Amino acid sequence: MEQSRPLDALNKARNKRVIIELKNGKQLIGSLNAFDIHINVVLTDAEERQDGEVKRKLGVVFLRGDTIILISPSE
Amino acid sequence: MEQSRPLDALNKARNKRVIIELKNGKQLIGSLNAFDIHINVVLTDAEERQDGEVKRKLGVVFLRGDTIILISPSE
Amino acid sequence: MEQSRPLDALNKARNKRVIIELKNGKQLIGSLNAFDIHINVVLTDAEERQDGEVKRKLGVVFLRGDTIILISPSE
Amino acid sequence: MEQSRPLDALNKARNKRVIIELKNGKQLIGSLNAFDIHINVVLTDAEERQDGEVKRKLGVVFLRGDTIILISPSE
Amino acid sequence: MEQSRPLDALNKARNKRVIIELKNGKQLIGSLNAFDIHINVVLTDAEERQDGEVKRKLGVVFLRGDTIILISPSE
Amino acid sequence: MEQSRPLDALNKARNKRVIIELKNGKQLIGSLNAFDIHINVVLTDAEERQDGEVKRKLGVVFLRGDTIILISPSE
Amino acid sequence: MEQSRPLDALNKARNKRVIIELKNGKQLIGSLNAFDIHINVVLTDAEERQDGEVKRKLGVVFLRGDTIILISPSE
């Protein structure tokens, strides 16, 4: 049985809603449109949230990988 | 169907207005003139904004990629 | 006798519960599903803890390697 | 039509006055004498400014690329 | 006579007790089980200490190299 | 006419007095003895200055490149 | 005449007492036993000093290069 690699988890999350936490403490939620080996990410229908509330709508957003702490499929 | 990559989203935003957020908390808005794989970016007609107000006009500006958090096409 | 390498310890911890401490001071606990040479990690059944208490449930979570301080099999 | 790259904008600014903002918050103004792919830069006739006033004259100055946030041709 | 290299000192410390100081100010003590050229390290029988007192027991712990300041064989 | 590169400016400053500013806010002055592409630098007859006054004499000093903000020939 | 390189200065300091300043503000003094191109360093007979006083004895210590600001032969 082949062992899974971290990017496999991102592949499974393609076109699904994900939560992304950034090193500056911000939290973005959006549809995972694209990513690469640097973990540069593009979200669509993205919004920034704070304490569960939408702070602003961003639409399409490109995130530079080195600003990302974690990516998690949202419930 | 080929899967999209993060830089495709930047390619689509070429010559369009984008919002760029920097690690130092500043926000720049300008026309996306050029970018490379390091996410070094050149904006034209750029201005720095704070709380929705123009703080200063920068014209052409080269941004070093490692200072960028996110790039988003502006409404 | 061949000397062990650091990633051997992570291989032994595959599919076991691990504690991960992040540079931002947070602590995640989950099942070690995948990792790579950058120490990018995927946890399943993950939760964030603070002072021994569950702060929130994350389910599947991808962690960018450069945010990780340590990984330790939990008791 | 060939698409422009970020360093093209720096090439156009050669031997012209540019404003450089550093990660430590300082602002340098000088003539762009040289740069490389790391965005290491040499300014001539450089001076440090604060709130529009000259704080000190530096003459020739070599700047390490990873300290630079942005480079913009000055008006 | 061949000149010694830094990793030789770590090789001599294999399976011996070492003190490791991290960039976040924490101090770990354990048996040096493994290391690589990135200075990723695995300690066994590890514990975190503060002011000479054991703060918590960690057992096996993988440390990402870029969080380490120094490694010193303990007395 | 060949365009100058940033390291050319350092080459011209060899064996001359230079001011070096570090990311920790310190300022060193010394004779530029050697440098490499990482901007690792060796100064001789070096001293640390604060507000124009000599704070301590260092003699020969090796500086790791990633701690350097700028290098400028001193008047 | 061949131009000197930064690591030449470290080679000359081998087996001599050096002062090393770290990014966390600490100062170590010891005999320079080994170094590599990353400026990873091993000191022997090392001690940590603060304001000229010995704060603690470390014996052999491996220092990760990216934590080092400067290395200077001590008087």
Side-chain angles (χ1 to χ4, degrees), chain E residues 5-68:
Chain E
R5 292 158 304 176
L7 296 197
D8 294 343
L10 295 186
N11 253 322
K12 274 187 209 152
R14 256 186 209 270
N15 302 317
K16 301 208 177 109
R17 301 295 283 175
V18 296
I19 299 171
I20 295 186
E21 292 191 4
L22 303 184
K23 289 183 184 164
N24 68 357
K26 291 191 178 170
Q27 194 182 61
L28 297 180
I29 295 181
S31 180
L32 183 61
N33 175 259
F35 63 88
D36 61 23
I37 54 163
H38 307 291
I39 322 302
N40 293 323
V41 164
V42 173
L43 297 181
T44 54
D45 297 316
E47 52 194 40
E48 190 185 325
R49 287 204 201 161
Q50 205 166 36
D51 306 319
E53 278 177 48
V54 178
K55 214 178 127 189
R56 61 174 173 154
K57 301 227 172 241
L58 281 159
V60 173
V61 62
F62 171 95
L63 291 161
R64 201 172 187 270
D66 75 328
T67 68
I68 290 174

Side-chain angles (χ1 to χ4, degrees), chain G residues 17-72:
Chain G
R17 301 296 282 176
V18 295
I19 299 171
I20 295 185
E21 292 191 4
L22 303 183
K23 288 182 184 164
N24 67 357
K26 290 192 177 169
Q27 194 182 61
L28 296 181
I29 296 181
S31 179
L32 183 61
N33 176 259
F35 63 88
D36 62 22
I37 54 163
H38 307 291
I39 322 302
N40 293 323
V41 164
V42 173
L43 296 181
T44 54
D45 297 316
E47 53 195 40
E48 190 185 326
R49 286 204 202 161
Q50 204 166 36
D51 305 319
E53 278 177 49
V54 178
K55 213 179 129 190
R56 62 173 173 155
K57 300 227 171 239
L58 281 160
V60 173
V61 61
F62 170 95
L63 291 161
R64 201 172 188 270
D66 75 328
T67 67
I68 290 174
I69 294 177
L70 66 82
I71 303 173
S72 180

Side-chain angles (χ1 to χ4, degrees), chain F residues 5 9 12 19 23-25 35 43 51 59-60 62 68-69:
Chain F
R5 293 160 303 176
K12 272 188 210 153
I19 299 171
K23 288 182 184 164
N24 67 357
F35 63 88
L43 296 180
D51 306 319
V60 173
F62 171 95
I68 290 174
I69 294 177

Side-chain angles (χ1 to χ4, degrees), chain C residues 6-55:
Chain C
L7 296 197
D8 294 345
L10 296 185
N11 252 323
K12 273 187 211 154
R14 258 187 208 269
N15 301 316
K16 301 208 177 110
R17 300 295 283 176
V18 296
I19 299 171
I20 295 186
E21 293 192 3
L22 303 183
K23 289 183 183 162
N24 68 357
K26 291 191 177 169
Q27 194 183 61
L28 297 181
I29 296 181
S31 180
L32 183 62
N33 175 259
F35 63 88
D36 62 22
I37 55 164
H38 308 292
I39 322 302
N40 293 323
V41 164
V42 173
L43 296 180
T44 54
D45 296 316
E47 53 194 40
E48 190 186 325
R49 285 204 202 162
Q50 205 167 35
D51 306 318
E53 278 177 48
V54 177
K55 216 178 125 188

